[in-house]
Amino acid sequence: MAKERSRDALLSLLAKEGNQVCADCGAPDPDWASYTLGVFICLSCSGIHRNIPHLSKVKSVRLDEWDGAQVEFMASTGNTAMRAKYESEIPPFYYKPTFSDCLLLREQWIRAKYERKEFIYIEKQEPYSAGYREGFLWKRGRDNGQFLTRKFVLSEREGALKYYNKNDAKDPKAIMKIEHLNATFQPGKIGNPHGLQITYLKDNSTRNIFIYHEDGKEMVDWFNAIRAARFHYLQVAFPGASNADLVPKLSRNYLKEGYMEKTGPKQTEGFKKRWFTMDDRRLMYFKDPLDAFARGEVFIGSKENSYKVLEGLPPPTQGNHWPHGITIVTPDRKFLFACETETEQQEWISAFQKVIGRPMLPQEYAVEAHFKHKP
């Protein structure tokens, strides 16, 4: 009877507002809890909590036995109260991961919250909020694919992220303007759990670099330092904008990536397999996922400007090995792609429709005009 009473009490706590999603990643219907921190969490986050046993001890709400004191503690705490405590001083630019983010981001967020208490003590945020950061990171070589250690310097004052090929080099190998910088974690693509892809514009074309560090905290601090630099740049560039307007612009995850086949503008040559990345309105294609530069870029505008996506290929198209076609219609020409599976085709069509269905912003017209004048 006591067991059943405890379980019923816990289930009624789970039904309370705030406890209906995981305290750490927002996943719905959490059925685990940290009975030392007083939060309800999902199965995935419970695995991360197990790695900090000196702070957090976890139990299943439904499967484990709970004593009365533990249930009372959960009743006196809960997700809303503990968020107010552990998340009271989160900077607006800091990336709060969700259940769809990579393990590294979720683990470091949980450690930052409960272990390092970074959002209780503001001075602990210095590694990513000081406006300047330097250190050594492993960077993938553009031509040989080897990872070599390189010195990186991020300076808000200079408005740039730079890296140097030699420790004592006076001049940087690359200067990446904060204005055009993006960073997104890509552990699967890079083949390292801490792998970060940085993109910037070089001569108005997208350039990729791939980096990592053995220390997960170090890598997430770099990521948030880049977001902080972008935030402060945008605050100056758009003085009337609210934090809610600026925060979504700090870094972008790609709408979709994967292999498709493509053919050329005359649509007479054969289809070639390429790696495609959909970065907002830029559709880029690469011979290899880790190439530094795209082989080509296509601007995807809005339906008001005569862009549309169609399922299938126009007859009498031939030469595609993969059966599931997609046609992108732009004001100037049609682009033909083929996917290996119907699932991939539908995911790509959905990504294209998302962008095409959104009206273009004034600055996007300037980007579109540049694409039209590309040689």
Side-chain angles (χ1 to χ4, degrees), residues 187-200:
K189 189 157 93 173
I190 295 169
N192 184 287
H194 303 165
L196 187 73
Q197 179 174 350
I198 289 179
T199 58
Y200 63 101

Side-chain angles (χ1 to χ4, degrees), residues 347-364:
E347 285 176 5
W348 276 109
I349 287 173
S350 170
F352 291 135
Q353 283 173 337
K354 202 171 179 180
V355 171
I356 288 169
R358 199 175 70 218
M360 276 166 61
L361 300 170
Q363 59 266 38
E364 290 174 333

Side-chain angles (χ1 to χ4, degrees), residues 215-234:
D215 184 328
K217 177 186 183 299
E218 185 81 7
M219 210 61 251
V220 174
D221 284 350
W222 270 104
F223 176 63
N224 280 304
I226 289 168
R227 284 176 59 88
R230 294 257 315 141
F231 182 64
H232 298 136
Y233 162 78
L234 290 169

Side-chain angles (χ1 to χ4, degrees), residues 20-90:
Q20 295 168 0
V21 297
C22 173
D24 296 326
C25 75
D29 306 318
D31 51 7
W32 287 75
S34 167
Y35 62 90
T36 50
L37 292 170
V39 289
F40 292 96
I41 53 178
C42 68
L43 173 63
S44 182
C45 288
S46 76
I48 299 170
H49 278 252
R50 284 181 198 279
N51 291 331
I52 44 171
H54 55 292
L55 283 178
S56 185
K57 296 205 174 351
V58 299
K59 280 187 177 187
S60 164
V61 170
R62 289 178 171 82
L63 303 176
D64 290 325
E65 285 190 24
W66 289 72
D67 64 39
Q70 290 166 346
V71 175
E72 277 178 37
F73 179 67
M74 295 305 296
S76 68
T77 52
N79 292 3
T80 303
M82 292 300 97
R83 274 207 203 97
K85 175 183 176 179
Y86 287 105
E87 299 182 20
S88 60
E89 300 288 348
I90 298 181

Side-chain angles (χ1 to χ4, degrees), residues 304-353:
E304 292 87 354
N305 298 80
S306 306
Y307 288 82
K308 60 184 170 186
V309 56
L310 306 171
E311 193 174 314
L313 300 171
T317 307
Q318 52 190 34
N320 51 304
H321 305 99
W322 287 349
H324 304 283
I326 299 173
T327 302
I328 298 279
V329 181
T330 77
D332 297 330
R333 59 167 278 202
K334 288 177 179 171
F335 292 88
L336 309 187
F337 308 113
C339 301
E340 189 172 17
T341 67
E342 190 179 350
T343 303
E344 277 285 294
Q345 178 200 42
Q346 293 307 314
E347 285 176 5
W348 276 109
I349 287 173
S350 170
F352 291 135
Q353 283 173 337

Side-chain angles (χ1 to χ4, degrees), residues 231-295:
F231 182 64
H232 298 136
Y233 162 78
L234 290 169
Q235 279 183 312
V236 174
F238 303 100
S242 67
N243 287 357
D245 291 331
L246 299 181
V247 167
K249 297 181 171 68
L250 302 186
S251 61
R252 304 179 304 280
N253 290 331
Y254 300 134
L255 293 176
K256 170 89 180 127
E257 285 196 292
Y259 284 106
M260 288 194 288
E261 292 182 332
K262 68 167 285 293
T263 186
K266 295 192 178 68
Q267 293 156 15
T268 51
E269 59 250 51
F271 278 72
K272 289 179 181 159
K273 181 179 164 186
R274 294 288 180 257
W275 177 266
F276 283 82
T277 296
M278 185 81 184
D279 183 8
D280 200 34
R281 291 196 185 275
R282 283 176 187 258
L283 176 67
M284 299 169 280
Y285 56 91
F286 305 84
K287 196 166 183 181
D288 183 274
L290 296 174
D291 282 347
F293 290 100
R295 290 295 177 99

